[in-house]
């Protein structure tokens, strides 16, 4: 096993949950066709939220997950809770706020990194932004083997930031804490976002960060430089887009501690939409971590789960069956490099769906 120890399910007395995910989910409206928001005539309703995306992907893979959040007492809140619960996620810790609405957003079909991408949020003053140390009791976030958080929550309000600081404080009995940096500059009201995110990441056990967002937030380029800036987490995973991902996992203690480093290239994927792929990668990596798989296989499972989302238009996709994912993750390097994954690959009988 590479990296921090995850409490085995048999050793957790409250063990009904593998991963607890805390954060805002919103109703998202997907365009009926490409183009500017001003030109799109209609939208399809779906759901979106980094933490609930992770919870749903893990539940679809057979893990026991809980989503902790707040939604309004409106129809959008009803839809979120029902949809996320439908994936098998425990939503009993979702509070309903009578005075604040559920957040919604609209986006274009273009990739987030593309010049033509537009996203419009209606989340200011949302129910989830009222999460705080006073509204989230310890028993809602304790008892799981992993607690998954993201930097998006920290940007929602001062109370949300205070909550994350409390959850990330050092304590002997806390679960393994996974933190996805998820730098969203437009959510921060000032220039403090990058430093806040760096400080929060230093308190986590396992950190996910995109190479591009590390450059944008901290002016740091390359996995080794990012690790030098974030030496504290036992595991750091640097996502490098279509190139792949690099993981640094500390082994040993004291002066004898050092990193095991693994790079795994991403398989070739026919991308339908890139939104949600980072969340899916985190879910695949966490699922493999909970099973005690070696570092290389954790990264490969992350890539495969991401590929399931990249090949559908929504933020969530059907992950490959565990047995099939294990078979693909066990391929030799040459066979892994030949993988070509396209729409429908998770349900196809062949090992891969070749793209043009």
């Amino acid at each position: 096993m590479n990296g921090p120890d995850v409490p085995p399910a048999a050793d957790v007395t409250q063990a009904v949950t593998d991963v607890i995910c805390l954060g805002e989910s919103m109703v998202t409206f997907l365009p009926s066709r490409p183009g500017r928001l001003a030109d799109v005539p209609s939208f399809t309703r779906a759901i979106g939220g980094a933490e609930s995306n992770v919870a749903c992907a893990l539940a679809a893979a057979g893990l026991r997950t809980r989503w902790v959040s707040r939604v309004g007492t409106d129809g959008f809140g009803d839809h979120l809770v029902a949809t996320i619960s439908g994936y098998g996620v425990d939503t009993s810790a979702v509070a309903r706020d009578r005075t604040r609405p559920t957040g919604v957003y609209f986006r274009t079909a273009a990739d987030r990194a593309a010049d033509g991408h537009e996203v419009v949020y209606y989340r200011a003053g949302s129910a989830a932004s009222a999460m705080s140390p006073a509204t989230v009791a310890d028993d809602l976030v304790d008892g799981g083997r992993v607690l998954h958080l993201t930097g998006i929550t920290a940007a929602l309000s001062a109370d949300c930031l205070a909550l994350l600081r409390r959850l990330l404080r050092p304590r002997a009995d806390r679960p393994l804490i996974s933190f996805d940096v998820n730098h969203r500059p437009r959510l921060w009201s000032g220039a403090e976002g990058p430093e806040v995110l760096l400080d929060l990441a230093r308190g986590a056990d396992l950190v996910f960060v995109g190479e591009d967002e590390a450059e944008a937030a901290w002016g740091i380029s390359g996995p080794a430089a990012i690790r030098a800036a974030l030496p504290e987490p036992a595991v750091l995973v640097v996502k490098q887009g279509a190139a792949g991902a690099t993981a640094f996992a500390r082994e040993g203690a004291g002066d004898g501690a050092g990193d095991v480093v693994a790079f795994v290239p991403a398989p070739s994927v026919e991308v339908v939409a890139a939104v949600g792929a980072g969340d899916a990668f985190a879910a695949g990596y966490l699922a493999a971590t909970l099973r005690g798989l070696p570092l290389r296989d954790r990264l490969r499972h992350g890539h495969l789960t991401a590929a399931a989302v990249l090949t559908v238009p929504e933020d969530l996709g059907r992950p490959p069956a565990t047995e099939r994912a294990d078979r693909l993750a066990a391929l030799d390097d040459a066979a892994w490099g030949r993988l070509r994954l396209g729409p429908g690959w998770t349900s196809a009988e062949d090992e891969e769906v070749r793209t043009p």
Side-chain angles (χ1 to χ4, degrees):
M1 188 166 181
N2 303 107
D5 292 333
V6 179
D11 292 346
V12 180
T13 56
Q14 305 172 349
V16 294
T17 307
D18 292 309
V19 182
I20 297 172
C21 301
L22 179 146
E24 180 174 35
S25 188
M26 295 173 290
V27 171
T28 177
F29 289 93
L30 308 176
S32 57
R33 69 184 190 194
R36 302 183 310 151
L37 287 178
D39 300 327
V40 175
S42 60
F43 297 81
T44 299
R45 184 184 65 179
I47 67 169
E51 301 84 3
S52 60
N53 285 348
V54 172
C56 289
L58 287 168
L63 280 80
R64 300 159 297 186
T65 63
R66 179 190 306 161
W67 174 50
V68 179
S69 190
R70 293 174 71 86
V71 298
T73 55
D74 48 37
F76 288 146
D78 295 341
H79 175 65
L80 279 175
V81 173
T83 303
I84 294 169
S85 177
Y87 278 87
V89 178
D90 174 8
T91 57
S92 62
V94 178
R96 306 302 293 261
D97 192 317
R98 295 182 178 276
T99 62
R100 297 176 179 85
T102 304
V104 301
Y105 76 98
F106 296 77
R107 68 172 172 86
T108 54
D111 185 277
R112 180 181 283 123
D115 291 339
H117 180 71
E118 296 175 74
V119 59
V120 178
Y121 291 106
Y122 296 93
R123 72 196 305 181
S126 69
S129 70
M131 288 189 294
S132 72
T135 65
V136 179
D138 286 342
D139 62 354
L140 297 181
V141 291
D142 287 340
R145 301 169 68 192
V146 175
L147 172 60
H148 181 70
L149 309 168
T150 83
I152 294 173
T153 305
L156 298 181
S157 68
D159 282 342
C160 283
L161 175 55
L163 173 61
L164 257 62
R165 290 196 188 281
R166 190 197 81 190
L167 296 175
L168 284 160
R169 73 183 188 274
R171 54 190 175 97
D173 59 344
R174 79 177 194 180
L176 181 144
I177 295 186
S178 164
F179 182 77
D180 194 333
V181 171
N182 262 323
H183 178 45
R184 300 288 184 268
R186 293 173 57 183
L187 294 181
W188 292 92
S189 58
E192 76 282 1
E195 284 304 314
V196 170
L197 292 173
L198 190 61
D199 181 57
L200 293 173
R202 286 171 171 157
D205 302 300
L206 164 60
V207 171
F208 299 96
V209 64
E211 187 175 32
D212 56 346
E213 66 182 342
E215 169 69 30
W218 306 317
I220 302 171
S221 299
I226 297 170
R227 180 53 161 171
L230 271 172
E232 296 87 357
V235 176
L236 173 68
V237 178
V238 180
K239 297 172 290 182
Q240 298 167 265
T246 299
F248 301 84
R250 186 167 60 244
E251 291 194 346
D255 294 338
D259 276 337
V260 173
V261 183
F263 169 78
V264 171
S268 179
V269 178
E270 182 183 355
V271 177
V272 174
V275 179
D279 306 327
F281 182 96
Y285 187 96
L286 286 172
T289 296
L290 286 164
R291 295 170 59 203
L293 298 184
L295 196 59
R296 185 206 70 169
D297 291 1
R298 296 182 194 188
L299 291 169
R300 286 189 171 187
H301 275 271
H303 286 315
L304 292 168
T305 310
V309 171
L310 288 168
T311 50
V312 298
E314 300 85 10
D315 288 19
L316 291 165
R318 173 186 173 185
T322 300
E323 297 79 7
R324 186 176 185 201
D326 283 344
R327 188 166 63 249
L328 294 176
L331 292 173
D332 61 39
D333 289 346
W336 175 262
R338 290 193 298 269
L339 274 182
R340 301 292 184 270
L341 304 174
W345 77 272
T346 59
S347 56
E349 293 182 0
D350 295 335
E351 285 290 280
E352 56 181 317
V353 176
R354 293 190 176 274
T355 61

